[in-house]
Amino acid sequence: MIGAATVLQTEELLPEGLDISFKIAPSVLVLGMLLLFLAIGYVFRVADTENMWVAGRSIGNVENGMAIGANWMSAASYLGMASLIALSGFYGLAFVVGWTTGYFILLIFMAAQLRRFGKYTAPDFVGDRFNSDSARAIAAVTTFLIGFVYAIGQARGMGLVGLYIFGDFGGVIPGLSGYQVMVVAMMTITVGYLTLSGMLGATKNMAVQYVILIVAFLAGLYLVGFTQGYSTVLPHLEYGTLITELGNEFSEPFTNESYYLWIATCFSLIVGTCGLPHVLVRFYTVESERTARWSTVWGLFFICLLYWSAPAFAAFGTDLFAENVGPVYGDPGMSSEAGDVIVVLAAQLAELPQWFVGLVAAGGIAAAIATTAGLFIAGSSAISHDLYTNIINPDATQRQQVLVGRLSIVALGVLTTLAALDPAAPIAALVSYAFSLAGAVLFPMFFLGMWWENTNRQGALAGMLTGLGIWSLAMINEVLPAYLSGSEAPLLSEWLATWVPAIGAALVAVPLVFAITIVVSMVTDEPPMETKRIVRQCHSPEPMGQQQTAEDVVTDGGTDETPADD
Amino acid sequence: MADNNSHDTDDGSNSSTNDAEVKADGGVASGSPARAHQNTDYLSSEVNLLNPSTQFMRDHLRLVWSGFAVWFVVVFGPVTLTRFAPDLMTTQIPMLGFPLHYFLVAIGGPTGALLLSFWYARKRDALDAKYGIDHAAVEETGRGDKGAAATDGGVDE
């Protein structure tokens, strides 16, 4: 087995230095974990739609904070971030900053207001706020696309980590390499689990998943640091002294990527955070707007626990790699596949017991599954709830809705698997494309829709199409060539790739979308009074009932007199 | 963006009726914030980020914008400084061993956002208290008394 593994390591998409073989203890650990998720999903299974989408609006502060954390921390946080820091040094920190600080913007501008608006999904918000089925459809398609693009990175992460745990099964499915077989297997498990349970099961699961992944990550960091003599009690600060040894590539600013790309990436990740449907949907599940605020604070704290640790893990991993495998930078240097498993690799190179390395790897799989679950739920609800029930078949029965929801989860799973068989970029970069999209299309709609009551249908449609256009252009320019011909060169123009990079397209798109939405809204008719009143209700400090939406309040009590004053 | 106003002059008039007088006070002279809150009809007050129309919204936005300003500096300050003063920013911090820019970005960024979030949530609770708004009633019973009135009036299914 070991002999075969060393030969295969020279092949594509096999991370060098990683011990690829079937390991019994880690396998039991991962399978046990997946069974646990399925059991929890089964116990909290749901049959009706209200429960499937928003868990009956009964989730509290800390639990929702953990769910925010687990939902948020995907393979991109768990594996991809350390990878980017190891490979691109200071540029990788743009991800650390973008993925945490975005929550503050979400908190001050959107969390509580969205809870007051009280609709199921992101497309629901757009459709109801702008009174337009076309807007709803565009948002639904965007949500679906986000789920798809985002999940490609997760599938890549699961595939690579799966190699460490289960070994190389290349050829078991004819024509597929070991990595590809693993992607198919892991995605099948994820989809199977998701079709069995809805959001309630998922929310319960997310708290469990958060605990598993944060314990695995922190334990990994502490043990690697301690056994290798890097750190004792606070590795998050102690890796500082290591930085000079790691070389200029690790800390020198702007040697790998320009200042502009740093800012573009960071900005995209921030606005993407505020526009991601699977993040926003977490605010519909809480009991009150105050809970929405505090669970954001809790969520950010839970997220920071990992984000403070990732750069330290990257530093330890990079140093161990240089010692045991070969030079990290230069030619050939560390491949992006090895980078993507640097967290697992660090634990393995530190010669920690196999079951423990397996635990670190299992944490990565938990992270990937938790996020994929959230994404697929958001994506499938966009299809079944927003496209199918609201537009195509308004008389759909509950049964039909749930069926369409499940079918779209399967469709997402198949699409993602196919795209992940030969992914175009490292995990974190793949995931960033989804952030660019959310930031460019959905964020301006939420922001303007909430904060300027005169934003209207025409403005929203023009704005969303602009955002979608800019993002698609950047993707076609940079990412499509990698799939078509495997080449790195931009398809359309080098200039476009420099100034509107796919990974940071929102920096250019957001101001443009804002401008277009505002100008078009101003030259066309104002939105109806009813809509304005709903927006006002979202900002009113008056508390609302747990099951109420802004629309209920406005239509129930407010047609001819003030609704909320005694 | 200031030209938003021109677009809604027609209904902007009624929205500014009840706050011209409460604005100047800071909540002491012409009535307590709680009174202002009770006298405000939020559903008739325009929502415009750049032109808040109720006393509550003004107070809230003051909070939001101060937080945003600090946040902006925390997030984009260090990296921009690094771009323009690389020598200064890459000096090593004594004891910790981090280059300054690395420390401010990798640890300063997330920590700054977390502290700011905590600060905002606290301040926002304080703001609710100042205006006599109580979320506990809603959380305990599942709906506030006012919510109940509105719901009972309107629920038919």
Side-chain angles (χ1 to χ4, degrees):
Chain A
M1 205 65 179
I2 291 166
T6 37
V7 173
L8 281 165
Q9 273 169 29
T10 54
E11 284 190 20
E12 238 187 315
L13 278 177
L14 291 184
E16 68 272 16
L18 190 70
D19 170 20
I20 294 168
S21 62
F22 179 76
K23 300 178 190 64
I24 183 75
S27 305
V28 170
L29 213 65
V30 169
L31 289 179
M33 190 182 77
L34 290 174
L35 282 177
L36 177 70
F37 294 166
L38 276 175
I40 297 175
Y42 181 78
V43 171
F44 295 100
R45 72 193 180 282
V46 289
D48 68 301
T49 41
E50 172 85 7
N51 269 331
M52 180 133 171
W53 306 137
V54 294
R57 294 212 179 100
S58 61
I59 313 284
N61 259 340
V62 177
E63 193 181 2
N64 196 51
M66 281 193 181
I68 289 177
N71 212 353
W72 180 246
M73 288 189 284
S74 63
S77 305
Y78 195 96
L79 304 166
M81 214 163 42
S83 155
L84 269 170
I85 297 167
L87 292 167
S88 338
F90 187 67
Y91 173 66
L93 297 184
F95 291 77
V96 176
V97 174
W99 278 337
T100 48
T101 56
Y103 269 92
F104 181 66
I105 300 300
L106 190 57
L107 171 67
I108 59 175
F109 286 116
M110 284 145 90
Q113 287 81 356
L114 280 173
R115 173 62 189 85
R116 291 181 74 87
F117 197 86
K119 283 307 168 76
Y120 286 143
T121 65
D124 241 354
F125 171 84
V126 175
D128 287 358
R129 167 64 181 83
F130 302 113
N131 310 304
S132 161
D133 274 351
S134 318
R136 186 193 302 272
I138 297 175
V141 170
T142 307
T143 303
F144 189 82
L145 260 180
I146 289 170
F148 164 58
V149 175
Y150 203 126
I152 300 172
Q154 311 306 318
R156 175 177 156 120
M158 288 194 274
L160 287 172
V161 170
L163 284 174
Y164 172 82
I165 296 171
F166 300 109
D168 189 334
F169 286 96
V172 169
I173 301 172
L176 296 189
S177 72
Y179 158 81
Q180 293 172 326
V181 171
M182 211 47 74
V183 168
V184 173
M186 300 308 280
M187 287 307 289
T188 311
I189 291 171
T190 309
V191 169
Y193 151 62
L194 257 174
T195 44
L196 291 179
S197 74
M199 179 76 96
L200 188 59
T203 305
K204 298 286 174 203
N205 256 329
M206 278 171 192
V208 177
Q209 282 156 342
Y210 175 77
V211 172
I212 290 179
L213 76 89
I214 200 69
V215 165
F217 200 85
L218 288 180
L221 177 69
Y222 270 95
L223 272 185
V224 169
F226 191 73
T227 56
Q228 302 306 299
Y230 293 128
S231 63
T232 49
V233 285
L234 203 60
H236 314 86
L237 289 177
E238 288 174 80
Y239 74 96
T241 43
L242 197 63
I243 285 181
T244 29
E245 287 166 44
L246 291 170
N248 274 343
E249 288 91 340
F250 199 84
S251 62
E252 192 71 28
F254 317 125
T255 45
N256 298 296
E257 308 291 354
S258 69
Y259 170 71
Y260 179 79
L261 190 67
W262 203 104
I263 297 288
T265 308
C266 189
F267 180 84
S268 263
L269 300 179
I270 288 167
V271 290
T273 304
C274 305
L276 272 181
H278 76 286
V279 173
L280 297 174
V281 83
R282 298 248 54 93
F283 297 111
Y284 308 133
T285 61
V286 296
E287 49 200 17
S288 76
E289 52 173 307
R290 187 166 176 276
T291 317
R293 281 194 294 272
W294 278 104
S295 62
T296 311
V297 181
W298 276 107
L300 183 55
F301 170 71
F302 289 136
I303 291 164
C304 279
L305 282 183
L306 189 130
Y307 279 58
W308 285 317
S309 315
F313 225 140
F316 298 164
T318 310
D319 196 53
L320 285 168
F321 190 93
E323 248 171 60
N324 296 295
V325 184
V328 177
Y329 305 107
D331 198 23
M334 179 164 48
S335 70
S336 70
E337 290 77 43
D340 274 346
V341 294
I342 191 85
V343 167
V344 180
L345 207 48
Q348 179 207 311
L349 294 175
E351 290 176 344
L352 299 174
Q354 207 176 63
W355 66 266
F356 185 80
V357 185
L359 176 70
V360 175
I365 290 179
I369 289 186
T371 306
T372 312
L375 284 166
F376 280 15
I377 285 176
S380 84
S381 74
I383 298 299
S384 77
H385 180 82
D386 301 304
L387 270 184
Y388 179 72
T389 314
N390 273 310
I391 300 176
I392 299 172
N393 180 8
D395 304 321
T397 60
Q398 290 253 320
R399 228 186 140 71
Q400 284 174 312
Q401 288 184 45
V402 173
L403 181 72
V404 172
R406 288 185 178 165
L407 283 179
S408 36
I409 286 179
V410 173
L412 264 170
V414 171
L415 277 174
T416 306
T417 309
L418 289 178
L421 291 181
D422 193 11
I427 300 169
L430 287 169
V431 166
S432 310
Y433 301 145
F435 277 76
S436 272
L437 176 59
V441 179
L442 295 179
F443 167 72
M445 296 310 116
F446 282 116
F447 193 91
L448 282 173
M450 273 301 175
W451 284 99
W452 184 42
E453 62 178 28
N454 286 335
T455 320
N456 67 8
R457 175 192 309 165
Q458 292 85 344
L461 286 173
M464 284 202 286
L465 289 176
T466 311
L468 211 51
I470 295 174
W471 179 80
S472 310
L473 199 64
M475 289 294 281
I476 291 169
N477 190 33
E478 278 177 71
V479 183
L480 198 62
Y483 274 106
L484 292 183
S485 56
S487 89
E488 297 270 305
L491 192 66
L492 306 172
S493 110
E494 195 69 50
W495 183 88
L496 192 68
T498 310
W499 296 106
V500 193
I503 207 167
L507 182 61
V508 172
V510 167
L512 259 174
V513 172
F514 265 77
I516 287 176
T517 309
I518 289 171
V519 169
V520 172
S521 295
M522 286 174 66
V523 297
T524 47
D525 291 338
E526 284 184 20
M529 199 48 177
E530 160 116 16
T531 305
K532 290 187 177 190
R533 292 170 71 93
I534 292 175
V535 176
R536 290 166 187 176
Q537 174 61 23
C538 291
H539 286 279
S540 158
E542 205 69 66
M544 284 166 65
Q546 192 177 354
Q547 301 297 334
Q548 269 185 316
T549 68
E551 195 181 356
D552 293 340
V553 173
V554 170
T555 48
D556 284 350
T559 36
D560 48 5
E561 35 128 32
T562 59
D565 284 356
D566 348 45
Chain B
M1 289 245 266
D3 41 16
N4 291 343
N5 300 340
S6 63
H7 194 52
D8 23 70
T9 37
D10 43 356
D11 77 335
S13 50
N14 65 356
S15 65
S16 54
T17 43
N18 51 17
D19 47 79
E21 62 271 31
V22 278
K23 160 70 184 159
D25 56 63
V28 190
S30 63
S32 70
R35 269 250 303 286
H37 167 62
Q38 288 193 348
N39 294 334
T40 305
D41 175 10
Y42 290 96
L43 291 189
S44 311
S45 306
E46 190 204 352
V47 170
N48 181 339
L49 179 63
L50 302 177
N51 182 22
S53 63
T54 63
Q55 194 188 353
F56 181 84
M57 177 86 104
R58 247 190 316 271
D59 277 1
H60 183 205
L61 277 178
R62 194 171 302 133
L63 206 60
V64 166
W65 287 124
S66 337
F68 182 78
V70 177
W71 173 89
F72 192 85
V73 172
V74 167
V75 172
F76 296 110
V79 62
T80 307
L81 264 180
T82 309
R83 170 72 180 75
F84 293 107
D87 293 336
L88 171 72
M89 293 300 286
T90 48
T91 45
Q92 217 174 5
I93 303 178
M95 300 287 291
L96 289 176
F98 281 99
L100 184 61
H101 70 299
Y102 201 93
F103 182 80
L104 286 180
V105 173
I107 294 171
T111 313
L114 180 60
L115 293 177
L116 275 171
S117 302
F118 183 71
W119 167 84
Y120 170 81
R122 284 284 298 276
K123 280 288 200 185
R124 178 57 219 256
D125 280 354
L127 199 62
D128 281 350
K130 180 176 154 196
Y131 280 82
I133 296 157
D134 185 13
H135 287 280
V138 178
E139 278 165 19
E140 273 161 27
T141 59
R143 59 177 61 150
D145 41 342
K146 289 164 187 172
T151 315
D152 296 346
V155 159
D156 46 13
E157 306 118 328

